Amino acid sequence: MMETITQPWPWYTAGIIIGLIVPALLILGNKHFGISANLRHACAVCLPSNIPFFKYDWKKETWNFFFVGGILVGGIISTLYLGSGDAVIVHPDLAQELASYGITDFSGMVPSQLFSFESLFTVRGLVMMVGGGFLVGFGARYAGGCTSGHAIMGLSDLQWPSLVATICFMIGGFVMANFILPFILHL
Amino acid sequence: MENKTNQHTNPADFEVRSLDTMCVNESELKHPWYYNLKYSLVGVIFGIVFIKAEIISWFRIQEMFRLQSFHMYGVIGTAVVVGAISVFLIKKFKVKTIHGEEITFTDKKFNKGQIIGGLTFGLGWALTGACPGPLFAQVGSGAIVILVVILSATAGTWVYGKFRDQLPH
């Protein structure tokens, strides 16, 4: 039993549980699954700067902070108590490609050679962490949601604008991963 | 905000409601803050799944965008099917919340943001290897440096809010 838990979970287990988060939040309090909204709430709390987009009663949205707080705690629990300690198994083609950029450490969820405080002071690290983060935050709000809000909640509610957004997420990701990222990783 | 009951007088509040995916179906009931802990519990489960199914792995996301692995497609596809069946059943049987309130849905309106913003988000997603939810789980997994990514994403959100009126929608 414990062995089943500590091994990486298959996609169908994960998919079913994530899918069930949609009705769980609805039934617990009519809340719609969405995460990037937290970033907007954070702006509304910390730096509204008289910008109309951030002038709303964020206190009504505090549930969302509790939700992401839980995600963080879940990450800690899972890493400390439920991990197998094994490195992530990476597709051989990807491993080979990454090795050509000097990325050989697959022990963590994120490659430590790219995401670390040291690499934050390299051009590559700066582009990937600060640049990537900025695009994620800007794009998610511009699109009106991220993977949770559009791809999962929106598609579950059969909203076609969410399908458009999801397809664009994927196109953007394909372009970056296959055509732009190789140049960035060479930096 | 002086108005407590009539939220629709504030245009930003209204847009939160109509244009965004976030939930603003705030309860009419006044609960103490710790009622929100139930959402934390759901978050904890979500965080555990994120890690255990390696959804927060930068490598899994790269494999997804290089069509080297079915994993992420399986996760998202299954989640959508389960979510869609759930939403269908909630609508069909008019299921109420545990506090007896009505569950509501708002149709999303199409605007150019879903295309331009969606593409922008996708570019960032493949760089960071994480969308906003996994970022928080990555921090939980010990990658403290990801706080920088979250901070930058918050800055991106702020810049969008600042220049929203100048951007095509």
Side-chain angles (χ1 to χ4, degrees):
Chain A
M1 173 69 189
M2 206 54 203
E3 183 133 318
T4 318
I5 291 174
T6 56
Q7 287 306 305
W9 295 358
W11 55 266
Y12 42 86
T13 312
I16 290 171
I17 299 175
I18 294 174
L20 288 175
I21 288 175
V22 170
L25 292 176
L26 288 170
I27 290 170
L28 283 176
N30 192 18
K31 305 300 184 203
H32 289 204
F33 186 32
I35 292 170
S36 61
N38 275 295
L39 305 174
R40 180 180 182 184
H41 303 331
C43 292
V45 176
C46 304
L47 211 63
S49 311
N50 233 2
I51 297 167
F53 191 63
F54 299 124
K55 283 176 71 184
Y56 56 92
D57 189 2
W58 57 265
K59 290 200 179 79
K60 290 173 185 162
E61 317 292 339
T62 41
W63 77 274
N64 218 324
F65 291 132
F66 281 83
F67 184 49
V68 286
I71 294 176
L72 191 107
V73 173
I76 297 172
I77 294 175
S78 186
T79 307
L80 289 182
Y81 305 110
L82 304 174
S84 63
D86 298 338
V88 178
I89 297 162
V90 176
H91 191 280
D93 291 349
L94 180 63
Q96 199 181 0
E97 186 193 332
L98 292 177
S100 71
Y101 311 121
I103 298 154
T104 46
D105 182 359
F106 303 146
S107 61
M109 286 284 160
V110 296
S112 55
Q113 286 149 320
L114 289 174
F115 296 90
S116 66
F117 284 104
E118 295 86 72
S119 82
L120 198 54
F121 297 100
T122 64
V123 178
R124 183 166 80 173
L126 198 71
V127 168
M128 293 193 70
M129 284 183 270
V130 178
F134 188 90
L135 291 174
V136 164
F138 183 89
R141 207 68 281 120
Y142 199 169
C146 62
T147 333
S148 55
H150 273 313
I152 297 185
M153 184 65 222
L155 290 186
S156 291
D157 192 23
L158 311 178
Q159 296 295 313
W160 70 268
S162 290
L163 183 63
V164 174
T166 306
I167 292 169
C168 291
F169 295 164
M170 297 308 295
I171 295 173
F174 268 89
V175 170
M176 174 57 76
N178 294 289
F179 305 115
I180 309 176
L181 191 62
F183 293 101
I184 295 173
L185 288 173
H186 265 301
L187 289 173
Chain B
M1 220 69 18
E2 70 280 44
N3 53 331
K4 284 202 176 67
T5 45
N6 194 2
Q7 307 90 351
H8 286 271
T9 50
N10 179 343
D13 243 17
F14 173 72
E15 281 173 3
V16 168
R17 216 163 275 275
S18 58
L19 297 179
D20 229 315
T21 56
M22 78 175 69
C23 167
V24 276
N25 312 306
E26 86 274 8
S27 174
E28 297 299 316
L29 306 167
K30 286 281 166 268
H31 287 306
W33 68 269
Y34 53 78
Y35 271 62
N36 279 322
L37 286 174
K38 57 183 184 277
Y39 303 114
S40 300
L41 187 70
V42 180
V44 168
I45 297 169
F46 197 22
I48 291 175
V49 177
F50 267 155
I51 305 257
K52 287 313 303 175
E54 299 179 343
I55 295 162
I56 65 154
S57 163
W58 186 85
F59 303 104
R60 289 286 95 82
I61 302 299
Q62 296 305 324
E63 286 171 356
M64 166 174 75
F65 287 132
R66 285 147 210 254
L67 299 175
Q68 290 165 335
S69 157
F70 172 73
H71 188 78
M72 286 304 303
Y73 295 99
V75 171
I76 298 175
T78 315
V80 171
V81 171
V82 172
I85 295 171
S86 309
V87 169
F88 172 78
L89 292 175
I90 285 173
K91 284 181 174 172
K92 184 169 168 70
F93 296 105
K94 298 192 169 51
V95 177
K96 295 227 176 354
T97 71
I98 52 170
H99 301 298
E101 290 185 293
E102 202 181 328
I103 294 175
T104 52
F105 296 92
T106 315
D107 282 336
K108 291 191 206 304
K109 290 187 193 73
F110 174 75
N111 69 71
K112 293 190 201 91
Q114 281 130 14
I115 296 174
I116 309 168
L119 292 170
T120 315
F121 176 85
L123 294 172
W125 187 12
L127 269 179
T128 61
C131 35
L135 286 176
F136 291 92
Q138 285 181 342
V139 174
S141 80
I144 307 295
V145 70
I146 301 301
L147 284 173
V148 176
V149 183
I150 296 178
L151 209 62
S152 186
T154 312
T157 305
W158 191 88
V159 169
Y160 167 72
K162 175 87 180 161
F163 297 102
R164 187 164 190 268
D165 294 339
Q166 284 101 293
L167 295 166
H169 278 93

